[in-house]
Amino acid sequence: MTLIKSISGIRGTIGGRTGDTLNPLDIVKFTTAYATFIRRSGQPHSGKIIVGRDARISGEMVKNVVCGTLMGVGYDVINIGLATTPTTELAVRMTDADGGIIITASHNPRQWNALKLLNSEGEFLTDADGREVLAIADNEDFEYADIDHLGRYTEDGSFNDRHIQSVLDLELVDTEAIRKAGFTVCVDAINSVGGIVLPQLLDRLGVGYTLINGEPTGDFAHNPEPLEKNLSAIMNEMKTGRYDLGIVVDPDVDRLAFICEDGSMYGEEYTLVSVAGYVLENVKRLSPGTPLNTVSNLSSTRALRDVTERHGGTYTAAAVGEVNVTTQMKAVHAVIGGEGNGGVIYPESHYGRDALVGIALFLSSLAQKGCKVSELRATFPNYFIAKNRIDLTPSTDVDAVLVKVKEMFSNDVSAQVNDIDGVKIDFPDRWVHLRKSNTEPIIRVYSEASTMEQADELGKKLMQVVYDVNA
């Protein structure tokens, strides 16, 4: 069964039987439940919902079903076409729409697709709101519009440009310094919408570029998750010595990874760390007295905490999931935050992961410092994260696994146990985090230490617990 229903939306593989995979009938049901929830939410209504999608092969089919269903419920649909997740989020705000649906399965392989659901602020639904949508869908507690109240359909392709302009208008994006630096970059756009929007952004910044996997066909040239094992093509291209920086995004362009000028990985975890360092030092300079607070999720590197404290700020961890991070960011008035998977959330732009914002801020930092990418990376604390996974089976008892892990360390005075999201065991010099994924039928096992060997050893130790419990 590959249909995953969660508070963040519905996700699955295309084709197969209803209830088991992502298919037209389940898309109609879930879209109707979402529209019904929006209508009942009590907020002022414009009667409009934004729909955007990445370039997945199934995107055209899913888009047609989603748009028709929304119209059947009585909503006017603004289809913004091939657009990034952050572009769709901003389009909701720019049009005063009641919400938005992003058709993308993010880093999942080509056979997957999903619906990501937005509120009227262009942000992901809260846990409570997501559960209400699921309940409406389960109960089929909805009805459709009569002939006189069907929604209308329009298309608007202007939002990529409007998104880019909003990035260029950010105070900390130093467009003049970037143009003067004369950067040349190599971009892997994974055959999705990054191949449309990133050339436009780089042209506006005066950055020269070579684009690989740039045709938005949705037929991904490699596994779309921007991890080192999937990026041999761009890493080899970078080793030619012709570029200052390598840029990699996922299919919906909310995750961002960099590659150094010598072809080595900058480290996806250090995307946020580097951007945060630049933002913190400039906020301190431009707005003395502003609390320098940052937030990332429990599975992110300690380096953000170290950099935040280096600037006199306070770091806070949140449960995994963009809505959990943004909720915590609002609570502590964070100036920057995000997720260690390369997701930069900069409130001056909007509360959503945005690779365009991350690229512009990173290039600003690089231009102002006048150094190589590898030299910039060397200025940050050095940690190593091992990212392992365990595929779930029908017999896997995730709750029993988590209980067993907590019991293992309950008497260890050196270990801090955090169970707000799975179980994280925090030691003075390392940590390990086990949690069930919201987007795939797996348990994620992330661990961090001062060497990759130590990190992987700790992760494998906890993985064995899972195997033993389910033996």
Side-chain angles (χ1 to χ4, degrees), residues 4 11 24 39 48 65 104 115 123 135 156 158 178 195 250 295 324 368 371 379 387 392 403 427 444 469-470:
I4 301 174
R11 181 179 303 235
R39 177 156 288 154
K48 299 179 291 188
V65 176
T104 176
L115 310 182
E123 300 169 15
D156 188 339
S158 69
I178 294 172
D250 66 340
V295 174
N324 297 318
Q368 289 183 6
C371 63
T379 66
K387 297 185 177 183
L392 294 175
V403 169
F427 302 96
R444 297 191 186 276
V469 169
N470 292 283

Side-chain angles (χ1 to χ4, degrees), residues 328-346:
Q328 188 63 44
M329 288 178 67
K330 293 174 183 178
V332 302
H333 306 289
V335 295
I336 186 73
E339 299 186 291
N341 60 10
V344 174
I345 302 173
Y346 185 46

Side-chain angles (χ1 to χ4, degrees), residues 349-411:
S349 174
H350 64 119
Y351 278 102
R353 296 181 302 178
D354 192 331
L356 277 71
V357 169
I359 289 168
L361 292 173
F362 186 87
L363 288 174
S364 297
S365 177
L366 198 63
Q368 289 183 6
K369 291 176 171 61
C371 63
K372 293 181 179 180
V373 175
S374 59
E375 293 169 343
L376 179 61
R377 173 65 177 81
T379 66
F380 296 106
N382 206 29
Y383 296 104
F384 295 86
I385 288 188
K387 297 185 177 183
N388 292 295
R389 57 181 278 173
I390 300 171
D391 293 330
L392 294 175
T393 67
S395 63
T396 303
D397 189 339
V398 177
D399 290 336
V401 167
L402 299 180
V403 169
K404 180 64 174 179
V405 170
K406 285 192 287 186
E407 289 177 351
M408 282 180 62
F409 296 96
S410 60
N411 296 319

Side-chain angles (χ1 to χ4, degrees), residues 225-246:
E225 190 162 15
L227 303 177
E228 181 173 359
K229 63 183 180 180
N230 302 325
L231 303 178
S232 59
I234 186 171
M235 293 175 73
N236 288 334
E237 180 66 18
M238 289 297 298
K239 290 174 183 176
T240 64
R242 295 186 290 150
Y243 308 98
D244 300 297
L245 172 68

